[in-house]
Every structure is written in structure tokens, then in C-alpha cells.
Amino acid sequence: MSNRLRALATRAVAVLGTTVLVAAGTVTATATVAQAAACTPAQVVVNGGFESGSSPWTSSSGVITSDSGQSAHGGTSFAWLNGYGSAHTETLAQTVTLPAGCTSATLSFWLHVDTAETTKTTAYDKLTAKLGSTTLATYSNLDAAAGYVKKTLDVSAYAGQTVSLAFSGVEDASLQTSFVLDDFALDVSGGTTTPPTTDATRTPAPTGYTVSLSSDASGATWTGHQGIGFTNPSATPLTEVYLRLWDNAHGSCPSTPVTVSNLTGGTAGALSVSCTALKVTLPAPLAQGQSGSLGFDLSIAVPSGADRFGRDGAFAFIGNALPVLAVRDAGGWHLDPYTNNGESFYTLASDYTVTLDHPGSLLVPATGSSVDTPGSSGRTVTTATAKNVREFAWAAGPFSKTSGSSAAGTAVNVYSVSGISSSDAQSMLSTAKSAVDAHAGRFGAYPYGELDAVIDNNFWFGGMEYPGFVLDLVSTTALTHEIGHQWWYGIVGDDEYNNPWLDEAFTDYATDLAQGKTGTNCWNSTSWASSAEKISNSMAYWDAHSSRYSAVVYGYGKCTLHDLRRTIGDTAMTKLLHDYAAAHWYGISTTAEFKAAAQAATTVDLTSFWTQHRIDG
């Protein structure tokens, strides 16, 4: 813990949760929502990283700073409230306008809380977050943690309004708590688009992704070219498409780790949604059945950190780095923000051909089936092909590789970072072979050829799934779960941001079955935190209630499926899931479709079942 001098006071470093409130005297004006207005996705906070001075923020003296007592999340400046160890109140505010016509709005910021308080039960010092007159969240000395934590709050109710985004930190008479804030964003999207559509057909339908990239010596920087073909299956003309550059959420917009340049096939607009969405206006509207294509140069710089997009020493993990087409349906364009708690990804299945040129000393496990050929000057060219996958991921590093085949004939490779013992690698290979066959036996044959599992015990997230490629710890349960995602998200897709239970609950249920667990009495242990808490809630809700996400979506979700099995019978449940997977093979599942399929599988009226288990949709 460090200290810094400020006018009339010295305060110890402490970062606490962010509190947003309306600063005293702030005038809040409400604009009339134009029902027919189009929504242009945008990020509406100005100078969210404080790198351009204090404007347009208003704050207590010295709050916006680059003092050495704290460090910024990105850049050099940040907002530091409180930390004096005496009775003190400080504020930070900015007036923001959420455009009319946008139905989705998400506030995000990074918060670091440090405190000298020793209590584990009493909130002595508080930071309150408000938008307009609504308190969004309150944090306190009880939220102290090392480093920054990203906070994400759903503020969609304020569409069409001009309101004050404000933070107030209140400290009591002793023992400092500091609240350090940085990198604010308020992303708006959704609503009607131009042209409006009520067509539920998902468009554009990708016809193929072709990628050619070359790495530096470490495998952490990749440059090259990407092409995307697509058609418009919708009766509504397609005038634009959006590229999702998901990993730009790991940077500090506009300084991004994924860069698209020299685009052909359309006109690039400005980056939006924290630089994760790039609008491309097409040269002419595409009518139903017509095709288009995009081409662009691509640069990827993998940041440090054992993440699904990050570097752990000599090992790089490159998930969600390739730009993918966003989906438009009856709800408009799906341009949801990135979430670190779960997944935001909603993509249609397509074919990938990816060529990765890299130093021969590096192994490059990847989605699909890979073939290595000699390159120039001691380099290797890995060519990976994958059909009917939703995205493509890879890793690069001096991995140790252990291989085998499952009893059903699936090729399985385990790639281990340094520090993973050979016995643990063999154990994970055995788990992977058993899991892939167990899931295939219940839901349909594994279609992706080989399966690569990359093992690193430094992953903070436990595990992460991609088609034919998973990241995991040394954990039998976690690896069985991630391999289960090959079916529930990979083969049977869903809108992961708005319906996370459709892949996480189903995969946790599949994991229980693969491990011989019956979930006896697990539904009896449910305890809801509020009337608003539902298994079928979106990630916008769970990002605002992150401590409940795992318990409800994973735990209560799989217990719901165990309870459904007990309600309709083992035989009916087994047939339901097998047939449902077959009917949605390479397609998209929705809550309404699953509820209808479950009802069709039994004579028991399930209406009250869904109400009791809080499954809406």
C-alpha cells in the first residue's frame, strides 16, 4: 500500500467499489423517446480514461489525477476518490445522452478498492453509483481486492434520456478506503435499425472465413489477411454488416489489440461498443439470396495474462481474436458488449480455412484438423480446416504434446504448458477421451475430427470452450464440462449473451451425466436472492449480479434439467435431448423452442414447472 500527498491531507492507497450518484445540483433532463428512431451503436462517455484532462467530467479537487500513489488501468490517468482516513466526501460526474431508439445500454468501468479497514462485516466507507436518480450499485471497504475489477451494469431503461452519471465516495472518520476508477464506457445498441425488420431469419449467413496470418518469434503478434463470404437469407435487404472484434475489450479503446485495415467489399464506419463492433456499409443493398464478401488486413497483439486471449510466459492463447459477423434477426442487430463473467458470443456456423505461419519451435493447436508443412527459414505453416464451426481459436508456444484416440475413434491431443507433469497430462488425455465419447453417445457423434485440449493451471477462469479446442486447468470435472460445450454452444448454438443458461446449464447437466451424477435433491437447495433473479436472465443481469451467476445459471440450471428428467422420466429425457440436438444441429436453440420440445415429449403439463424453475421465454 502506497501513500500520496494531496492538498491539506495525506491519503493511503485504497481502491473501493464504484458508486454512481447524481452530484448535488445536477440538472437531469429527459428527452422524448422517438419510437421510430434508428439506433446507431455507440459509446457515449467522453474521455472515459481521463487521458484528455478533466473535461467534460466535473469532480472534487484532485480526483482526476496521475499521482504515483495509484496506477491507471489503461494509460496514465484515473479517478481517485477518498483514501484520507478521515471523514471525507468526494464526487465525480459527467452528463451523458443515451440516443433514442436504442434498447440496450451497458455501463462498464474498472474499479480498484483498497482499504485499511479490517472488518469483514461492516461497510464503513462507501462508493455509490447513480445514473439519473437511480442508484445502480454501492460498493464499500468490504469489496477491497488486489488490482482492478471490471464492473458492468445494465442501464437500458435510460434510452432516449440525458442524465448525470455520477460517483460519490463517502469515508468515515478513521481508517482510509480508496476508490480508484478508470476506463468508463457506456455502450448503446439494439432497437430499430435501418432498414427496420420483423423478419426472424438470421442474417448474414457466412459462407466461409479464409485467414492467412504470420507470427513474430514469440507467437504473440500475428499479421496477415482475412476474407469473409456471406449471403442474405432474409426477405429484408441487407444494407450493412457488423464485424465483432471481441478481443478489443481487452484493450483500452481506441488503443486496441485487434486492428482491421484496408477493408474491401464495403465502407468501414467507426468502431463502437468499446471498439468491439465495426459497422461496414455495403456498396449496394443485398436482396434475399444475394451474396457479398469482405476482405481486410488484420493485426493481432496478444496481451500479457493467462486469459482466453492472453500470454502466460512463452505461451499465447488466442480465443475470439478473428473478426466474425454479427447476427441480425427480428430483434435487430445483436451488438451486445463483451462480458468477462461468461460469453457474449452469438454466431452462425461456417467453414474456416486458416493458415498460420510461425517459428518451427512453437506448437500451434487450433480449431479443426491441422496439417503442418515446412515454411521458410526454420518456420512451420500450420493449415487448419474446420467445417460448421462458430468461431476459430488457437494457441502458440513450446507446449508438450500428448496424443491418443478415444474408443469411438476421435483423435485427442493434450498440449501442456511447462509445469504440468506428464502424469497430469496423461490423466487429462484419459479424461478427454472418456468425455468426448460419453457426450457423443448421448447427443450425437462428435463431428469435428480432432479435439485439442490446452492445459495451464494459471488460467483464472477454470476453462474455456471453442470448437474442437478447449482451454483448461488440470481438472477432470472442468475438462468434461468444456468438452460438453462442443455440443451445447458448438453444435447446438445459442445467443450466449441473452440466453447463457442454454449452454452453461445444459453443459453442466451433461457433465453430471458423464460422471454418473444424478443430481438427487439438488433442486431442493435453491434459494433465490430476489424476485428478479431467474435462470433465464441475460448476461446484462448477471454482470450486475456477478456473485450469483455461477450458482443460478450453472447450479440451479442443471438442477432444473435433473428435475425435468425426474418429471418426464429418464427415457423421455434422454430422447428429448438427443432429438433436440439433432433438430438444432449447427443451428440455434432458443428457450421457447426447448420448452416446446420438452412439452411435446411428455403428457405432463409443464406450465407450472417453468414458472417454479424461473425459466422465461
Side-chain angles (χ1 to χ4, degrees):
M1 186 176 295
S2 58
N3 299 308
R4 73 170 181 177
L5 294 176
R6 301 180 76 183
L8 304 178
T10 299
R11 74 181 189 181
V13 176
V15 181
L16 182 57
T18 302
T19 300
V20 179
L21 55 73
V22 178
T26 299
V27 177
T28 300
T30 302
T32 301
V33 177
Q35 296 300 322
C39 175
T40 299
Q43 195 288 107
V44 300
V45 170
V46 178
N47 190 24
F50 309 104
E51 299 304 309
S52 301
S54 60
S55 180
W57 296 96
T58 59
S59 66
S60 301
S61 176
V63 163
I64 298 174
T65 182
S66 57
D67 283 1
S68 60
Q70 281 288 350
S71 59
H73 174 261
T76 60
S77 298
F78 48 90
W80 184 355
L81 286 76
N82 305 115
Y84 292 92
S86 59
H88 208 85
T89 298
E90 290 188 317
T91 61
L92 172 74
Q94 178 180 145
T95 299
V96 294
T97 299
L98 285 69
C102 296
T103 58
S104 176
T106 303
L107 171 67
S108 64
F109 53 88
W110 291 84
L111 169 68
H112 171 61
V113 180
D114 187 355
T115 186
E117 301 283 2
T118 59
T119 178
K120 302 299 182 183
T121 58
T122 304
Y124 290 113
D125 308 315
K126 297 179 180 180
L127 181 66
T128 303
K130 284 189 176 181
L131 190 64
S133 60
T134 300
T135 297
L136 301 176
T138 301
Y139 308 93
S140 74
N141 48 280
L142 300 178
D143 297 298
Y148 279 91
V149 176
K150 189 174 185 179
K151 303 296 181 182
T152 306
L153 303 170
D154 184 2
V155 294
S156 302
Y158 281 84
Q161 299 185 28
T162 297
V163 290
S164 177
L165 167 65
F167 304 82
S168 176
V170 179
E171 195 173 10
D172 71 359
S174 64
L175 297 177
Q176 70 82 27
T177 299
S178 295
F179 307 87
V180 185
L181 306 169
D182 202 359
D183 290 336
F184 287 87
L186 204 169
D187 294 296
V188 296
S189 62
T192 58
T193 60
T194 305
T197 178
T198 57
D199 187 351
T201 303
R202 298 179 179 96
T203 190
T207 56
Y209 291 80
T210 304
V211 185
S212 179
L213 298 174
S214 180
S215 83
D216 64 356
S218 69
T221 299
W222 298 78
T223 56
H225 191 79
Q226 179 171 339
I228 307 174
F230 55 91
T231 62
N232 178 23
S234 168
T236 303
L238 194 64
T239 59
E240 76 271 346
V241 297
Y242 286 85
L243 294 177
R244 295 315 306 260
L245 285 61
W246 286 114
D247 283 335
N248 283 346
H250 295 267
S252 181
C253 182
S255 299
T256 58
V258 178
T259 304
V260 167
S261 59
N262 300 321
L263 185 138
T264 60
T267 303
L271 289 168
S272 61
V273 198
S274 296
C275 289
T276 66
L278 176 65
K279 181 179 180 179
V280 179
T281 302
L282 300 178
L286 292 183
Q288 188 172 29
Q290 290 186 321
S291 298
S293 64
L294 303 177
F296 47 86
D297 292 334
L298 180 64
S299 175
I300 300 168
V302 185
S304 179
D307 208 333
R308 55 191 176 189
F309 179 62
R311 288 181 288 117
D312 184 11
F315 303 92
F317 313 103
I318 311 163
N320 305 110
L322 295 184
V324 295
L325 291 171
V327 177
R328 190 191 77 189
D329 56 23
W333 284 105
H334 287 260
L335 300 175
D336 299 301
Y338 180 92
T339 176
N340 215 30
N341 291 321
E343 287 78 49
S344 302
F345 318 127
Y346 176 22
T347 52
L348 305 183
S350 186
D351 297 342
Y352 280 77
T353 301
V354 180
T355 301
L356 303 170
D357 185 323
H358 57 89
S361 59
L362 305 180
L363 296 183
V364 180
T367 289
S369 298
S370 297
V371 176
D372 288 345
T373 57
S376 61
S377 303
R379 296 177 68 86
T380 296
V381 177
T382 298
T383 302
T385 57
K387 293 186 178 298
N388 294 307
V389 297
R390 301 188 186 279
E391 54 197 333
F392 184 97
W394 73 100
F399 294 101
S400 297
K401 180 181 178 182
T402 305
S403 300
S405 294
S406 73
T410 298
V412 179
N413 305 303
V414 170
Y415 293 83
S416 304
V417 304
S418 53
I420 302 296
S421 68
S422 59
S423 61
D424 280 343
Q426 286 292 336
S427 174
M428 291 299 94
L429 177 63
S430 177
T431 293
K433 292 191 295 185
S434 174
V436 71
D437 283 356
H439 297 315
R442 290 184 174 90
F443 311 124
Y446 179 74
Y448 296 138
E450 66 185 53
L451 172 65
D452 294 338
V454 179
I455 307 299
D456 186 341
N457 277 333
N458 290 329
F459 289 141
W460 66 268
F461 47 85
M464 180 62 195
E465 70 281 0
Y466 296 99
F469 175 95
V470 299
L471 305 173
D472 219 301
L473 309 172
V474 176
S475 168
T476 297
T477 298
L479 185 56
T480 302
H481 175 95
E482 302 311 332
I483 292 173
H485 273 304
Q486 298 303 307
W487 284 263
W488 304 107
Y489 133 83
I491 297 167
V492 180
D494 63 281
D495 178 349
E496 293 186 295
Y497 187 85
N498 289 298
N499 295 286
W501 88 282
L502 286 173
D503 54 276
E504 296 300 356
F506 281 59
T507 298
D508 240 23
Y509 176 75
T511 301
D512 272 6
L513 297 183
Q515 296 186 324
K517 300 176 182 177
T518 62
T520 302
N521 296 324
C522 71
W523 181 253
N524 297 340
S525 62
T526 54
S527 177
W528 303 102
S530 72
S531 60
E533 186 171 86
K534 298 178 181 180
I535 293 171
S536 55
N537 281 347
S538 73
M539 287 307 305
Y541 178 89
W542 297 118
D543 280 341
H545 303 82
S546 57
S547 65
R548 295 287 294 165
Y549 172 58
S550 178
V552 177
V553 173
Y554 291 69
Y556 295 0
K558 76 172 180 182
C559 287
T560 292
L561 296 175
H562 279 301
D563 216 27
L564 180 61
R565 174 175 52 82
R566 286 186 282 268
T567 300
I568 69 175
D570 289 358
T571 300
M573 186 67 169
T574 298
K575 187 176 188 301
L576 166 64
L577 290 181
H578 184 276
D579 291 354
Y580 188 79
H584 293 79
W585 206 258
Y586 302 139
I588 298 293
S589 170
T590 67
T591 297
E593 288 172 328
F594 179 72
K595 288 168 68 174
Q599 185 60 76
T602 182
T603 57
V604 178
D605 185 349
L606 296 176
T607 303
S608 61
F609 179 92
W610 304 120
T611 301
Q612 177 194 0
H613 293 76
R614 300 198 181 190
I615 304 290
D616 288 348

